[in-house]
Amino acid sequence: MTAEERRNLHAFRDYVTRILDPTHVLSYMAPWLREDEVQYVQAEKNNKGVTEAATLFLKFLLGLQEEGWFRGFLDALHHAGYSGLYEAIENWDFHKIEKLEEHRLLLRRLQPEFKTRINPNDILPEISECLINQECEEIRQVCSNKGPMAGAEKLIECLLRSDKENWPKHLKLALEKEESNFSELWIVEKGAKEETKELEDEEVETSDIQIFYKEEPECQNLSQNACPPSEVAHTQSPIKPRNYQLELAGPALEGKNTIICAPTGCGKTFVALLICEHHLQKFPQGQKGKVVFFANQLPVYEQQKNVFLKHFERYGYKIAGISGAMVENISVEQIVENNDIIILTPQILVNGLKNRTIPSLSVFTLMIFDECHNTSKRHPYNVIMFHYLDQKLGGSSDPLPQVIGLTASVGVGDAKNTTEAMEYICKLCASLDTSVLATVRDNVEELKEIVYKPQKFFRKVKSRTNNRFKSVISELMRETESLAKSVFGELETLSQIQNRDFGTQRYEQWIMTFQKKCSVLRLQDKDKESRICRALFLYTSHLRILNDALIINEHARTKDALEYLKGFFNNVRTAGFDEIEQGLTRRFEERLQELESISVDPSNENPKLKDLCFILQEEYHLNPETRTILFVKTRGLVDALKKWIEENSKLTFLKPEILTGRGKTTKDRGMTLPAQKCVLDAFRAHGEKKILIATSVADEGIDIAQCNLVILYEYVGNVIRMIQTRGRGRARGSKCFLVTSNADVIEKEKINLYKEKMMNDSILSLQEWDEKAFKKKIHQIQIHEKFIRDSQGKAEPKLDKKNKKLLCRKCKAFACHTADIRVIEESHYTVVGDAFKECFVTKLHPKPKSVGIFEKKAKVFCARQNCSHDWGIHVKYKTFEIPIIKIESFVVEDIATGEQRLYAKWRDFHFEKLPFDPAEMSK
């Protein structure tokens, strides 16, 4: 055995101990193992279990020095029937075994049902080849001696250890052959597990682009009839939809639950209005329908509310909208009860169902989900549908609303082929209880006249060959890492991410992981712990900024990267500016002159920008009326490219506008909704604003004017993002350029094109299914998912009633005890008692204003000298002025054990939460 083979066997030992029962191979290993070692392994299995016995067996193996034992071990596996494990070790590739983990997890969850429903003797003949011969005999013996339930437990134990990649399928076939009801729960889904994706080499602001268009001319043409609702039911409106829109609406008009999948810009909102109007008109006199339209984000909510108001108010229907910004001041129950059409952000309904202000979904007769591909995991859309499916599968006699989903792309997830893509789409249909996928099939030519598919171009560009800025900043980063190591020598042990090159998203990930782990670092000397944590926090914060500068330099000008750094260090000087920060600032300033020199050196110009400039010049030469959207990954790049265009004499005529998301990041507060609207209005209204530079304003549903040039600058994502981004260029002759220096980025985009074709092929295949067979498939998935959901839901989090400490996450200063925390309206957390007032300082809030129940007045910071970590805000609530703290600013320490933990959200921290009591404050 070579040293490498020994290392590999040690590295992959967890796979071996999960699968191998060593007693099945001991007889084959007699030439290498002593008799007492064999007896120890057998005793370990009898006393502690198979896994412990396998661990001991491996320990003995790895201690062997005799020649030939490794080949003997492989032969033993082969003879005993461990063909999967044999193949994995022979090739040092455990991918097939790893893929079985999702099925093992499912079998563990289903174990209580399995052992009550399954007699192993009935299915053993069908699955025996997935087990070791000796295991089959043991299962039969247990059934004979202890009964079928004990035998079923033994069978589960053996299947969980099986190394045969096809055992989940064999089990499925065996169950179906026996016509067992359990087969409905045992769903074999190829590729269902979410595989770990490679980290992008950039900070991605969001995952999917969801930018929406209003189809106002079409909305106006929907109907010219101004009859009141009572008369509308008997009057056919002069609706003038296009043929492809009628095709899309067809199944829904027949009352079927439908997902409508059609390109951005084809008028899906118009189709929704058409369905909604038909639905409300179909009820006989004395009965009324009630429609709810879900808009995923606030801008879309406002946009669609206006569209529905404009269209339906003329008929006398009552329309209202509720968003999170309004919910404090209105009764959701009354709004739903008193209106015919309600436009909601989905969380409103989730909250209403939870607190029972909305008794059930039966109050509605039609639900429309905009951007319905989001119906997955714990998204509010899916939570709403959990209620729907619980009511449906629970045998309730109450009527359920019709369900309509709208999307430009259903997506394919991680599917590798059409079969897996069909499974993914079926899962979405099951989540929305839809039996029909509506696409344009008969009126494709008409659709092409309305929605133009832009030409796609891949432009591979060069990077700098000599990157002196990166050399200098990388040296600074190495020095900063060394300083961090000098404070805490076990730096590497706090984070396991390897190959973290400077100037990449992987390095950013390392910093985030490191900071989380260092926040809960525990040392005997608490003063030393506080000092070390604060120092590491400072060093890694500086490393993050230096890493950001390298990313800007890679894709924009060195000048912009340097300005970014200078702005940061100027801010550092005006803050606490302690000894560590003074040292880091001094190191930067020592290299500042060299960096300034590099930034103005013409030979350091970024060749990527030359290519981008050429594309823009050429396109505007061909068509001076071109309207462009330039997509980039980070907000820092948005600002850098705007400055570059404004200062480039060849491009100043473009007069760029910028659009970024509303979400706050560690470096930026984001654009407010009014600021977004102002930018978009200017871009639509003023012809001189020819280019919009944007990040992925993904879940924010921005209404963007028609454009004919889309440029993706080092920007690629999944197939949904690709389809929706490309959908921006709707004019005839529109073009879409992917500009990148990375061949892998082009390859990813080509994979997205393949996945788009795979999605379309999968939809066509599913549309060919018999409707009854499709409904049966959907029903099976729903039963399976409900079982899993119910199993997970039974495990209520245990309430921890022990008093704990909250420590500042940055410097570990004591803040308060959990016994002093009070909860306002189930979501806001304050601290009572005078002691806490000594622990924080306040500074006037930069944007004081009233928000819901609070009047924001100040920011709250840690009072320890040279820390000033942000703890939350100071507000006026009723007659009280109190702090509102955020849990992510603190470390929670167990008083008894000293164990420390981090929480991202208050809901994850299961301590005894006492409600805020004004009487307590008055005392």
Side-chain angles (χ1 to χ4, degrees):
M1 183 189 195
T2 65
E4 183 181 3
E5 287 171 332
R6 190 183 296 273
R7 282 196 304 271
N8 285 344
L9 185 57
H10 185 268
F12 291 111
R13 63 190 182 280
D14 287 346
Y15 288 102
V16 179
T17 56
R18 269 187 275 167
I19 290 168
L20 179 64
D21 183 337
T23 59
H24 298 330
V25 299
L26 282 176
S27 60
Y28 301 103
M29 296 301 295
W32 292 278
L33 293 178
R34 299 194 311 269
E35 187 173 338
D36 63 323
E37 290 175 332
V38 171
Q39 290 173 354
Y40 284 144
V41 171
Q42 289 172 330
E44 193 78 347
K45 177 183 175 180
N46 294 335
N47 296 328
K48 295 184 178 179
V50 178
T51 301
E52 288 76 11
T55 302
L56 182 62
F57 173 75
L58 266 188
K59 180 182 176 182
F60 289 151
L61 281 191
L62 291 168
L64 291 172
Q65 300 301 323
E66 292 88 343
E67 287 290 323
W69 73 261
F70 181 71
R71 176 45 56 185
F73 174 53
L74 285 177
D75 291 342
L77 292 175
H78 180 69
H79 290 305
Y82 286 105
S83 54
L85 192 55
Y86 172 88
E87 179 185 343
I89 296 176
E90 179 83 356
N91 302 305
W92 298 118
D93 182 1
F94 288 77
H95 182 66
K96 290 180 181 177
I97 288 176
E98 182 62 28
K99 284 175 70 176
L100 291 170
E101 191 58 31
E102 63 179 310
H103 302 295
R104 294 190 190 105
L105 178 63
L106 176 60
L107 187 55
R108 287 189 190 99
R109 289 176 180 168
L110 299 178
Q111 184 170 356
E113 286 292 307
F114 187 99
K115 70 180 185 181
T116 57
R117 294 198 199 187
I118 304 302
N119 186 330
N121 290 319
D122 294 337
I123 64 172
L124 261 182
E126 300 298 324
I127 62 171
S128 58
E129 67 180 78
C130 301
L131 303 171
I132 306 298
N133 289 337
Q134 199 171 328
E135 288 175 335
C136 293
E137 289 304 315
E138 289 174 358
I139 292 165
R140 291 189 184 98
Q141 196 68 37
V142 172
C143 285
S144 175
N145 295 337
K146 298 183 178 180
M149 285 185 68
E153 286 189 326
K154 183 64 180 176
L155 173 57
I156 290 169
E157 177 189 325
C158 296
L159 286 174
L160 290 174
R161 288 188 165 274
S162 176
D163 61 347
K164 312 302 185 293
E165 67 175 316
N166 56 0
W167 75 256
K169 286 185 182 177
H170 278 266
L171 178 58
K172 178 72 173 175
L173 293 171
L175 293 168
E176 288 178 344
K177 187 173 181 180
E178 288 300 311
E179 298 184 347
S180 167
N181 291 335
F182 189 84
S183 65
E184 292 185 351
L185 299 176
W186 185 251
I187 296 181
V188 181
E189 295 175 303
K190 292 173 68 177
K193 186 177 180 183
E194 291 185 9
E195 296 179 3
T196 303
K197 299 176 180 66
E198 284 293 316
L199 285 167
E200 298 285 344
D201 277 343
E202 296 287 347
E203 175 187 329
V204 182
E205 188 181 30
T206 44
S207 57
D208 301 334
I209 292 182
Q210 300 165 15
I211 303 177
F212 304 82
Y213 289 86
K214 283 190 285 188
E215 299 287 334
E216 289 189 26
E218 296 175 354
C219 296
Q220 290 165 357
N221 290 337
L222 181 61
S223 173
Q224 302 301 321
N225 194 319
C227 301
S230 58
E231 296 176 25
V232 168
H234 306 289
T235 308
Q236 181 63 43
S237 303
I239 301 172
K240 298 176 183 178
R242 298 186 175 100
N243 290 329
Y244 75 79
Q245 290 168 326
L246 280 174
E247 182 183 351
L248 289 171
L253 297 179
E254 294 173 10
K256 295 178 180 178
N257 289 1
T258 307
I259 290 177
I260 295 171
C261 183
T264 302
C266 73
K268 288 190 291 295
T269 300
F270 166 70
V271 174
L273 291 170
L274 180 65
I275 294 166
C276 190
E277 184 174 333
H278 178 272
H279 179 83
L280 292 171
Q281 290 175 3
K282 76 177 184 180
F283 287 89
Q285 199 160 5
Q287 295 182 28
K288 289 181 70 175
K290 192 177 293 289
V291 178
V292 59
F293 184 100
F294 298 110
N296 201 30
Q297 291 293 335
L298 189 58
V300 188
Y301 155 79
E302 292 189 342
Q303 175 182 312
Q304 303 295 45
K305 184 180 73 171
N306 291 334
V307 170
F308 273 78
L309 279 168
K310 187 174 183 180
H311 177 73
F312 282 105
E313 275 193 331
R314 70 183 97 171
Y315 304 147
Y317 288 117
K318 294 178 181 177
I319 301 99
I322 317 173
S323 68
M326 306 161 52
V327 75
E328 298 283 354
N329 307 314
I330 60 171
S331 166
V332 175
E333 186 178 15
Q334 286 183 5
I335 293 287
V336 170
E337 186 178 337
N338 297 334
N339 288 276
D340 304 302
I341 303 169
I342 303 98
I343 320 296
L344 291 178
T345 47
Q347 190 62 43
I348 300 295
L349 185 56
V350 170
N351 296 344
L353 291 166
K354 183 179 177 181
N355 60 32
R356 304 295 295 169
T357 54
I358 307 296
S360 83
L361 294 175
S362 295
V363 301
F364 305 109
T365 57
L366 173 64
M367 298 194 301
I368 304 176
F369 293 83
D370 201 13
E371 298 304 312
C372 69
H373 56 261
N374 290 300
T375 313
S376 65
K377 299 180 182 176
R378 297 300 300 178
H379 189 281
Y381 279 1
N382 217 22
V383 176
I384 290 167
M385 288 307 298
F386 290 164
H387 285 271
Y388 177 103
L389 292 168
D390 286 347
Q391 192 171 328
K392 174 189 173 182
L393 299 174
S396 170
S397 59
D398 294 336
L400 284 165
Q402 183 183 0
V403 178
I404 306 298
L406 308 174
T407 183
S409 169
V410 292
V412 295
D414 294 326
K416 307 293 188 300
N417 53 52
T418 304
T419 303
E420 292 178 8
M422 288 169 66
E423 196 68 35
Y424 179 89
I425 295 167
C426 282
K427 208 163 185 177
L428 178 65
C429 291
S431 296
L432 286 161
D433 196 39
T434 51
S435 57
V436 179
L437 281 161
T439 59
V440 178
R441 301 173 72 187
D442 300 332
N443 298 280
V444 176
E445 293 306 314
E446 183 189 41
L447 178 64
K448 286 179 180 177
E449 287 296 311
I450 305 302
V451 180
Y452 308 112
K453 193 172 181 177
Q455 292 176 274
K456 190 73 177 274
F457 299 95
F458 299 108
R459 184 69 68 91
K460 176 80 164 57
V461 297
K462 296 178 181 177
S463 292
R464 293 183 181 90
T465 52
N466 181 23
N467 198 336
R468 290 192 293 145
F469 181 86
K470 183 173 184 179
S471 299
V472 174
I473 298 301
S474 295
E475 181 59 31
L476 267 176
M477 293 176 79
R478 280 189 287 271
E479 290 176 7
T480 306
E481 281 192 348
S482 296
L483 289 168
K485 285 177 184 175
S486 70
V487 171
F488 186 67
E490 300 170 47
L491 190 74
E492 299 296 332
T493 63
L494 288 181
S495 177
Q496 302 302 314
I497 298 175
Q498 301 298 316
N499 304 319
R500 50 178 199 274
D501 295 333
F502 296 145
T504 63
Q505 175 64 19
R506 188 175 290 275
Y507 193 84
E508 171 100 359
Q509 182 72 20
W510 173 78
I511 291 171
M512 291 171 65
T513 305
F514 179 85
Q515 286 188 337
K516 285 180 182 177
K517 292 192 175 181
C518 123
S519 296
V520 292
L521 177 68
R522 290 167 57 195
L523 299 173
Q524 290 281 334
D525 184 335
K526 291 301 174 184
D527 287 337
K528 183 179 179 183
E529 178 186 308
S530 174
R531 191 168 60 252
I532 287 176
C533 286
R534 188 179 175 285
L536 293 177
F537 195 101
L538 281 173
Y539 286 130
T540 48
S541 295
H542 279 247
L543 285 169
R544 186 201 297 270
I545 297 298
L546 294 169
N547 193 63
D548 290 341
L550 287 181
I551 291 172
I552 294 171
N553 177 66
E554 174 63 25
H555 304 309
R557 299 177 300 181
T558 300
K559 172 185 175 181
D560 300 309
L562 183 56
E563 287 299 316
Y564 179 81
L565 286 177
K566 286 161 70 176
F568 168 73
F569 281 103
N570 283 337
N571 289 333
V572 168
R573 287 189 199 89
T574 60
F577 205 49
D578 71 357
E579 187 178 340
I580 291 175
E581 289 172 313
Q582 289 173 25
L584 291 171
T585 303
R586 185 176 63 252
R587 289 171 183 273
F588 170 71
E589 288 175 342
E590 286 170 357
R591 292 165 171 82
L592 184 55
Q593 188 173 349
E594 182 182 2
L595 291 170
E596 294 276 17
S597 175
I598 294 169
S599 72
V600 296
D601 184 351
S603 68
N604 192 53
E605 189 174 348
N606 196 332
K608 289 184 185 181
L609 295 180
K610 287 184 179 179
D611 278 283
L612 182 57
C613 181
F614 176 78
I615 291 169
L616 289 167
Q617 281 185 289
E618 186 175 47
E619 293 304 315
Y620 279 90
H621 174 74
L622 293 171
N623 178 9
E625 300 305 313
T626 291
R627 308 277 283 169
T628 303
I629 300 182
L630 172 61
F631 283 105
V632 299
K633 280 187 175 179
T634 68
R635 297 177 182 180
L637 274 176
V638 169
D639 294 330
L641 291 175
K642 181 175 186 286
K643 290 176 186 174
W644 168 68
I645 290 174
E646 288 173 337
E647 295 173 16
N648 188 320
S649 59
K650 298 173 182 176
L651 300 175
T652 49
F653 71 95
L654 294 175
K655 299 190 184 318
E657 285 281 8
I658 67 170
L659 183 70
T660 63
R662 294 165 53 228
K664 180 180 177 182
T665 70
T666 54
K667 301 177 281 291
D668 167 333
R669 292 184 177 276
M671 289 183 81
T672 63
L673 182 59
Q676 286 178 339
K677 287 182 176 179
C678 184
V679 165
L680 291 165
D681 288 343
F683 188 61
R684 281 192 292 265
H686 305 298
E688 71 268 15
K689 303 285 186 182
K690 297 181 181 295
I691 187 169
L692 185 66
I693 309 169
T695 57
S696 164
V697 283
D699 298 316
E700 314 209 20
I702 306 297
D703 169 21
I704 289 183
Q706 184 170 327
C707 67
N708 61 313
L709 178 62
V710 174
I711 300 176
L712 311 177
Y713 188 62
E714 296 286 3
Y715 186 94
V716 70
N718 59 25
V719 64
I720 294 173
R721 166 186 283 181
M722 186 199 73
I723 293 168
Q724 294 188 332
T725 309
R726 194 178 59 202
R728 300 314 121 225
R730 294 196 293 160
R732 285 184 185 273
S734 58
K735 298 176 183 178
C736 180
F737 285 88
L738 172 61
V739 181
T740 179
S741 60
N742 189 342
D744 290 343
V745 171
I746 292 176
E747 194 57 36
K748 281 183 183 178
E749 195 72 351
K750 287 180 178 178
I751 289 171
N752 280 340
L753 288 169
Y754 165 72
K755 285 192 169 185
E756 181 186 6
K757 181 180 184 303
M758 188 165 69
M759 180 190 76
N760 291 330
D761 291 345
S762 300
I763 290 173
L764 285 172
S765 296
L766 289 170
Q767 287 172 330
E768 296 300 320
W769 279 31
D770 174 72
E771 191 170 339
K772 187 179 287 186
F774 188 67
K775 283 185 175 179
K776 183 180 178 183
K777 169 76 172 175
I778 297 307
H779 185 63
Q780 284 181 335
I781 295 172
Q782 289 173 341
I783 291 172
H784 167 74
E785 291 294 320
K786 176 169 168 54
F787 180 85
I788 299 300
R789 200 161 60 244
D790 290 347
S791 300
Q792 293 171 338
K794 289 172 187 174
E796 288 291 327
K798 187 178 178 182
L799 194 65
D800 190 344
K801 295 188 177 183
K802 294 178 183 176
N803 195 14
K804 299 187 185 304
K805 293 179 184 177
L806 261 63
L807 312 178
C808 174
R809 182 166 173 175
K810 183 175 178 181
C811 73
K812 294 293 187 76
F814 172 77
C816 66
H817 289 101
T818 50
D820 299 323
I821 296 174
R822 300 292 181 267
V823 189
I824 299 173
E825 300 196 4
E826 297 186 356
S827 57
H828 309 288
Y829 293 76
T830 188
V831 182
V832 297
D834 292 334
F836 184 62
K837 295 176 183 177
E838 304 300 318
C839 300
F840 69 85
V841 294
T842 61
K843 295 180 183 177
L844 286 177
H845 199 288
K847 295 180 180 177
K849 61 179 179 180
S850 294
V851 179
I853 57 175
F854 296 127
E855 183 184 342
K856 286 200 292 187
K857 287 184 167 288
K859 294 281 291 176
V860 174
F861 299 95
C862 175
R864 177 172 282 191
Q865 189 177 8
N866 297 329
C867 179
S868 301
H869 190 45
D870 182 355
W871 284 3
I873 57 175
H874 214 266
V875 303
K876 184 174 182 180
Y877 171 61
K878 297 182 178 176
T879 59
F880 307 104
E881 296 208 358
I882 55 175
I884 299 294
I885 60 172
K886 46 189 181 181
I887 190 61
E888 63 265 34
S889 297
F890 299 93
V891 175
V892 178
E893 182 177 271
D894 188 296
I895 296 173
T897 66
E899 180 188 356
Q900 296 180 351
R901 291 194 63 182
L902 296 175
Y903 294 96
K905 303 287 183 185
W906 281 108
R907 65 170 175 262
D908 301 327
F909 183 19
H910 304 297
F911 69 104
E912 190 171 20
K913 299 172 183 177
L914 301 176
F916 180 83
D917 182 0
E920 182 182 17
M921 296 294 290
S922 300
K923 294 176 186 176

